[in-house]
Amino acid sequence: MAVAETQLYAKVSNKHRSKSTSALLESLLTKGFTAHIAQKALAATGQKTVEDAAKWLHSHCNDPSLDDPIPQEYALYLCPTGRLHNHLQEFWKESKRQCGKNRAHEVFPHITLCDFFTCEDQKVELLYDTLKRVGDSFSQCFPPSVSLSLHSSTSYLGFFIGDSHANMLKEFAMAFSSEASALADCHVKPCLKQLHLTLAHKFYPHHQKTLEQLAKCINPGETCQWVAALYSRDMRFVHYQTLKALFQYKPQNIDELMINAGDFIYVDPTQQSDVSEGWVIGTSHRTGCRGFLPENYTERANESDTWVKHREYVFVTTSRFFTQTEKEPSVKLNGEVHNPSMSRSVTNVLSLQNATLRRGVLVMRHGETVDQVFGKSWLQQCLTADGKYYRPDLNFPSTLPKRKDSVKHFEYDPPLSCCGIFQSRLIGEALLDQEVTVSYVYSSPTLRCIQTAQHILQGLKLDQKVKIRVEPGLFEWTKWEASRVIPNFMTVTELTNASYKMDTSYRGNFPLSSLVPSESYEEYVSRSSAVINQIITACPSKGKGVILIVGHGSSLSSFTRPLIGLPARDSSDFAQVVRKVSFVLFCFVFFQQE
């Protein structure tokens, strides 16, 4: 294809073919829909046509969450098309037939450029504009073929991207992330680790050889056109199973769900224990309604079946572009940051100059946990048939602490991953470098928070001097607790026996029995304000030193705002703020010296 033809084709391919978002919104407003509901419908349908959005609104007329200000989550993927895509789809089909379904089957073939992030419905169009601008700026240097090399381990099989091409893709992701974050006021995290295209993940080890043989039939140099695509999903159902209805079911009782063949249903596995055998309780993707339905009317679907493609940028290349990029020096990133969130947190420590001369409170979120890395079913992945713990991945902890009751209680009280342990200890070392003196440590009763506190103290070289005080009142908003009940936490005695440095004489301001499941937002705000003020009062005001509080993502807002005289955030804003809080991120509040 001639260069002029290629450039023309790229312009046509990447041009928006539908009406502008503002025109779509105006059309819905003239039909009588309110602005925020119309914007929600447009975001849920990819902002393509008025007809799609209107159909969605009519289907969701009985959706109890229709007025909730919950945005979609978005991700930027680089997806192959053409012959390579066809071969990958054939691998998907054959690997599933011969070895059964694994984690990779949940999503179509792709390279993750920016992982899922939230964006307010009214600002989604800014993401489209960003994708177009950044795509245009990188179109000239995009290679005609992406270097792919096969990599295999006992739990992973896929193609790794060659360094030179990976660096270019990371620059593209960083450019999109930077501009989208600034324009749409959202936190977009580019993928800066080893870029890869997954073929199989979390499969049985004895299937490795079969999967490798199937993968070797794929020619990574096959003709391919790459597309940067922006997808969205419903953030409320990220950890749910997705079912697909095989038949229509008409409700016989008021608490049953109406489904049509082809409907997708979100099912929370943790809420099925009290459901009658042969039935499940779920939420319809089509209507947003919730109810019981017969399980044998459904089959398992893929996670990405309910995702919506919003916009895509087609990279059209020629050999001329390849020659140019071969001659141009590759632009290296300032180091390959494997955890940008953690790096920012450590960097923020540099602002704590002369902290030893001032007294304050450092409120921190715990480190990375195993359930965040390996999913809610992490415990099933690391238990043998007779219930013994083993380490299926190096990011699992080497052991689990002993507890008197069932090991199954760890499901809702998960430990830190090995990366989470490293994060916590590194934060402690950074505080030590800045000569920050910690005099008191309070922790939420969750294992992840206690472990974070322990490893921070080790990094500070204070683990033999400062003891951890377990304060149940520091637990997160119970409405967000997945188990719908207060988890069964390890006791202080069990923690002490497991070599955690606990203050056994401390008695919490809020006993565990005072925590109520599904408390209201007002109750949570009141509890948070009361407990932080009681902690400050209990610690001597004279002298130096910092009070370290290890809690949850919600803690950074709910515990610091009362200290500086600010009212609690509105509940609609609170969830969005909390979602942006990364692991081991902290807020430092200084007190005036008396």
Side-chain angles (χ1 to χ4, degrees):
M1 186 183 292
V3 173
E5 292 174 341
T6 299
Q7 293 173 338
L8 178 61
Y9 178 73
K11 290 179 180 179
V12 174
S13 299
N14 296 312
K15 196 171 184 180
H16 293 178
R17 295 182 177 87
S18 57
K19 292 183 180 179
S20 69
T21 306
S22 56
L24 297 175
L25 180 60
E26 287 297 328
S27 297
L28 291 173
L29 294 178
T30 59
K31 295 178 184 292
F33 297 109
T34 59
H36 78 279
I37 290 180
Q39 288 168 338
K40 187 172 186 176
L42 288 170
T45 56
Q47 302 205 9
K48 295 182 177 68
T49 67
V50 174
E51 291 74 19
D52 288 345
K55 182 179 178 180
W56 186 92
L57 285 165
H58 288 303
S59 297
H60 285 256
C61 61
N62 295 318
D63 183 350
S65 66
L66 185 59
D67 289 321
D68 292 349
I70 303 175
Q72 297 282 307
E73 280 189 326
Y74 299 84
L76 183 64
Y77 288 165
L78 186 68
C79 303
T81 62
R83 292 182 180 178
L84 178 58
H85 176 264
N86 295 338
H87 288 312
L88 290 169
Q89 289 289 62
E90 186 61 32
F91 173 87
W92 250 244
K93 178 181 177 181
E94 195 60 24
S95 62
K96 187 176 181 180
R97 186 186 70 82
Q98 293 192 32
C99 303
K101 189 172 183 178
N102 64 65
R103 190 69 182 86
H105 291 120
E106 293 288 347
V107 186
F108 43 82
H110 70 280
I111 299 169
T112 302
L113 297 178
C114 297
D115 213 345
F116 279 100
F117 60 92
T118 57
C119 179
E120 296 176 15
D121 295 338
Q122 67 271 23
K123 297 179 180 179
V124 175
E125 190 176 8
L126 297 172
L127 299 181
Y128 306 162
D129 296 338
T130 299
L131 178 59
K132 177 68 168 60
R133 278 194 299 273
V134 176
D136 286 344
S137 66
F138 278 81
S139 62
Q140 298 292 314
C141 62
F142 198 90
S145 63
V146 175
S147 173
L148 303 173
S149 59
L150 190 63
H151 174 81
S152 178
S153 70
T154 54
S155 62
Y156 175 84
L157 178 70
F159 290 114
F160 280 6
I161 315 304
D163 289 344
S164 60
H165 294 163
N167 285 339
M168 188 278 297
L169 293 176
K170 289 175 185 178
E171 291 174 33
F172 174 80
M174 289 177 66
F176 176 85
S177 168
S178 177
E179 187 167 339
S181 297
L183 292 178
D185 190 26
C186 52
H187 179 64
V188 185
K189 183 177 178 180
C191 184
L192 299 178
K193 297 181 181 180
Q194 172 66 60
L195 295 186
H196 56 275
L197 193 159
T198 299
L199 297 177
H201 184 39
K202 294 184 180 179
F203 48 83
Y204 289 109
H206 62 271
H207 286 150
Q208 182 179 358
K209 182 173 289 187
T210 302
L211 291 169
E212 286 177 353
Q213 291 174 345
L214 291 173
K216 288 176 181 176
C217 297
I218 303 172
N219 176 13
E222 192 66 81
T223 303
C224 176
Q225 189 172 65
W226 293 90
V227 175
L230 190 68
Y231 286 88
S232 73
R233 67 182 182 186
D234 193 323
M235 62 187 286
R236 297 173 299 167
F237 306 112
V238 170
H239 299 297
Y240 284 46
Q241 290 179 352
T242 305
L243 303 180
K244 184 178 182 179
L246 299 173
F247 317 102
Q248 184 185 59
Y249 179 76
K250 295 182 178 180
Q252 308 298 311
N253 297 290
I254 194 171
D255 59 354
E256 293 176 3
L257 183 66
M258 170 70 184
I259 57 174
N260 293 329
D263 281 359
F264 292 104
I265 301 98
Y266 299 111
V267 173
D268 184 353
T270 65
Q271 297 180 359
Q272 308 305 315
S273 56
D274 297 329
V275 179
S276 301
E277 186 176 356
W279 292 76
V280 293
I281 184 169
T283 303
S284 170
H285 171 72
R286 179 175 59 86
T287 66
C289 296
R290 176 178 168 85
F292 294 94
L293 65 148
E295 189 172 13
N296 61 356
Y297 275 50
T298 66
E299 66 177 359
R300 283 292 300 272
N302 296 327
E303 176 186 337
S304 60
D305 286 345
T306 57
W307 295 2
V308 176
K309 182 192 283 188
H310 284 250
R311 297 292 186 272
E312 63 180 27
Y313 188 94
V314 181
F315 289 102
V316 182
T317 58
T318 68
S319 57
R320 188 182 75 87
F321 297 148
F322 178 73
T323 303
Q324 289 179 338
T325 55
E326 283 291 294
K327 292 180 180 179
E328 292 171 358
S330 59
V331 180
K332 293 185 178 180
L333 305 177
N334 295 325
E336 188 170 325
V337 181
H338 290 272
N339 195 321
S341 300
M342 185 182 69
S343 300
R344 285 195 300 274
S345 299
V346 176
T347 304
N348 288 342
V349 176
L350 299 178
S351 65
L352 307 181
Q353 298 294 337
N354 300 321
T356 52
L357 304 179
R358 306 175 69 177
R359 182 171 173 266
V361 178
L362 195 157
V363 183
M364 174 181 290
R365 187 191 179 191
H366 57 78
E368 179 189 88
T369 55
V370 289
D371 63 314
Q372 290 292 323
V373 181
F374 300 101
K376 295 300 181 183
S377 63
W378 71 271
L379 191 59
Q380 287 73 42
Q381 300 173 41
C382 61
L383 292 181
T384 61
D386 55 354
K388 293 182 179 179
Y389 176 80
Y390 76 100
R391 194 180 189 185
D393 186 279
L394 289 177
N395 203 16
F396 274 84
S398 56
T399 60
L400 291 179
K402 292 183 180 180
R403 55 189 304 165
K404 293 180 181 179
D405 50 20
S406 172
V407 71
K408 292 184 178 179
H409 287 301
F410 283 120
E411 182 176 1
Y412 296 113
D413 188 20
L416 295 181
S417 66
C418 282
C419 286
I421 292 172
F422 173 74
Q423 289 172 331
S424 305
R425 190 165 299 178
L426 191 62
I427 288 292
E429 292 175 1
L431 292 170
L432 178 65
D433 287 345
Q434 295 300 311
E435 300 180 354
V436 176
T437 301
V438 172
S439 301
Y440 304 93
V441 177
Y442 290 83
S443 172
S444 163
T446 63
L447 178 59
R448 55 192 180 272
C449 291
I450 292 166
Q451 288 180 322
T452 300
Q454 172 94 340
H455 291 290
I456 289 175
L457 287 174
Q458 288 177 355
L460 278 163
K461 301 186 187 306
L462 291 175
D463 51 310
Q464 300 301 322
K465 297 180 181 179
V466 180
K467 304 293 183 182
I468 302 170
R469 297 177 174 180
V470 174
E471 176 51 68
L474 296 176
F475 186 53
E476 65 183 341
W477 186 13
T478 60
K479 182 180 178 181
W480 287 345
E481 179 52 46
S483 63
R484 305 299 177 187
V485 296
I486 304 302
N488 194 340
F489 302 117
M490 292 181 67
T491 65
V492 172
T493 301
E494 288 175 324
L495 291 165
T496 302
N497 292 338
S499 300
Y500 294 100
K501 307 302 180 182
M502 310 305 298
D503 186 342
T504 55
S505 64
Y506 178 75
R507 298 293 178 266
N509 296 292
F510 282 75
L512 274 173
S513 57
S514 68
L515 295 176
V516 254
S518 300
E519 65 187 336
S520 68
Y521 180 62
E522 290 72 23
E523 289 172 331
Y524 170 68
V525 168
S526 175
R527 165 164 66 89
S528 301
S529 178
V531 74
I532 191 64
N533 284 307
Q534 288 171 354
I535 287 174
I536 300 302
T537 303
C539 297
S541 58
K542 294 183 179 180
K544 304 172 185 178
V546 168
I547 303 170
L548 172 62
I549 294 177
V550 183
H552 307 270
S554 55
S555 305
L556 276 72
S557 174
S558 57
F559 295 141
T560 58
R561 292 177 75 87
L563 294 179
I564 56 179
L566 291 178
R569 293 182 183 275
D570 185 81
S571 59
S572 60
D573 298 330
F574 181 70
Q576 300 309 312
V577 171
V578 172
R579 286 193 63 83
K580 298 178 181 180
V581 177
S582 57
F583 293 119
V584 296
L585 193 68
F586 59 77
C587 288
F588 206 123
V589 179
F590 288 114
F591 296 142
Q592 293 288 341
Q593 292 289 349
E594 297 178 356

